[in-house]
Amino acid sequence: MSANLSIARSELILGGQKSGKSARAEMLAQSWLQASPDHRAIFIATAQAWDDEMQARIARHQADRALRLPTMRTIEEPLAVAAAIRAHSQPDCLIVLDCLTLWLTNWLMPLDHDALDLNAIEHAITELVDVVKSAQGPIVIVSNEIGLGVIPMGREVRAYVDHLGKLNQALAATVERVSLMVAGMRLSLKDKER
């Protein structure tokens, strides 16, 4: 992993699956931790293990992350990410939120579909944007960019793509830096000078 990366107050990292989004977030966390012995880092994980494959994937990611960043603490929070950020954001603590795509899935695809509450989802999105604006320490947010392909056939999938696109836009307007990862390479979409 690379050290001495520039850390923005807030960064949104977008990209497709396996594009290098999480690797960039971890490199930023590593750089932050190496910059001072007083620095801490927290990883807020939104994934839920609904099947054996996802359970194995989560366990593998946890083990790999523990080897690469042994001092980074992991908090598993599938829904209340704004509250988790608010509780842990400090000037000496970098927070990685990985990922918005799964967080939104957790809101939009409950096991009991009758429990879907669009007002609660909009409130959660607004609360997340507000807490990112007011975060005391640096925050790195990972999200998929899924709107580059064909229009999905199903109504629910189209609604999901629309919601994620709006969420990504709202956060991109809020954060200091937006990066797009393609094949492990970073493209700068927005970089406010510090």
Side-chain angles (χ1 to χ4, degrees), residues 97-111:
L97 171 57
D98 194 351
C99 80
L100 285 184
T101 315
L102 292 174
W103 175 73
L104 186 62
T105 299
N106 296 337
W107 276 101
L108 288 172
M109 307 298 177
L111 288 179

Side-chain angles (χ1 to χ4, degrees), residues 170-191:
L171 282 166
T174 300
V175 299
E176 288 187 354
R177 179 183 293 155
V178 180
S179 299
L180 176 65
M181 298 301 295
V182 178
M185 306 296 292
R186 175 184 177 261
L187 299 170
S188 177
L189 303 180
K190 175 183 177 182
D191 205 346

Side-chain angles (χ1 to χ4, degrees), residues 4-73:
N4 300 322
L5 294 175
S6 167
I7 308 293
R9 188 194 70 75
S10 52
E11 180 170 347
L12 175 63
I13 303 171
L14 300 168
Q17 189 169 339
K18 296 295 179 196
S19 62
K21 301 180 305 295
S22 295
R24 173 160 175 81
E26 287 184 14
M27 286 190 302
L28 290 167
Q30 182 185 49
S31 184
W32 174 259
L33 290 168
Q34 290 175 347
S36 170
D38 297 328
H39 284 177
R40 297 177 300 116
I42 292 178
F43 187 92
I44 300 175
T46 62
Q48 295 185 82
W50 296 115
D51 57 41
D52 292 342
E53 187 275 333
M54 192 62 170
Q55 202 167 31
R57 181 182 290 246
I58 289 170
R60 186 177 64 250
H61 283 235
Q62 289 171 336
D64 291 348
R65 198 167 47 250
L67 287 174
R68 291 187 299 266
L69 295 161
T71 62
M72 179 182 255
R73 181 175 161 212

Side-chain angles (χ1 to χ4, degrees), residues 78-128:
L79 293 171
V81 296
I85 293 167
R86 197 176 297 110
H88 298 285
S89 182
Q90 297 293 323
D92 65 341
C93 182
L94 179 138
I95 293 175
V96 173
L97 171 57
D98 194 351
C99 80
L100 285 184
T101 315
L102 292 174
W103 175 73
L104 186 62
T105 299
N106 296 337
W107 276 101
L108 288 172
M109 307 298 177
L111 288 179
D112 177 10
H113 195 70
D114 293 335
L116 185 62
D117 182 349
L118 291 177
N119 288 331
I121 295 166
E122 290 301 322
H123 175 74
I125 290 171
T126 299
E127 185 181 26
L128 176 60

